[in-house]
Amino acid sequence: MNIPFLDHWLNRNDTERGAGLAAALTQDPEGISELFAECEMLRVHARAAGLELDETPASLAALDQLMPRWRRDPEIVPWLGNDAGLYLGTVIIRTRPGASWQVRPDGQPVILLASGRELNVVESGVSWAMTGSPELSQAYAEASEGL
């Protein structure tokens, strides 16, 4: 599939991508939030295990209980971890007043809590996918404490 926008996007450096994503987030925060909420790989793995992700804190606890079969395939782990982090961020955004997506200059999406504290949810998601720690429900609870 030839998507000119995507080709141009992929050929930019991290700073340019970060600026572009930050601008898109400013122009269409709901659209970018929906994009971040897709987490298709994570949803497929969860669905295969009989879990439907409903963007609630309880779904994070349920994800923590899944058998981590994905760890057998090291190529999947970072992608699944990225999705897990974006899903964690989505749950925080949808359940915690004042929480919002922000984009660092390097293009890394993070959560900004109402308190001003920044959470690198993607980093937490990748760590969870690789090692199981921190648990997603634990990361959510810690974010909730910081509100």
Side-chain angles (χ1 to χ4, degrees), residues 132-143:
S133 179
E135 290 184 335
L136 297 174
S137 58
Q138 176 188 359
Y140 176 83
E142 290 172 3

Side-chain angles (χ1 to χ4, degrees), residues 39-51 53 80 83:
C39 312
E40 189 61 28
M41 182 179 282
L42 181 67
R43 291 182 188 277
V44 166
H45 279 274
R47 201 171 298 121
L51 174 62
L53 300 179
L80 189 73
D83 275 10

Side-chain angles (χ1 to χ4, degrees), residues 30 33-34 37 43 55 89-97 99:
E30 288 183 30
S33 290
E34 288 302 314
R43 291 182 188 277
E55 298 170 3
T90 296
V91 173
I92 293 169
I93 293 290
R94 298 208 172 147
T95 61
R96 293 298 178 203

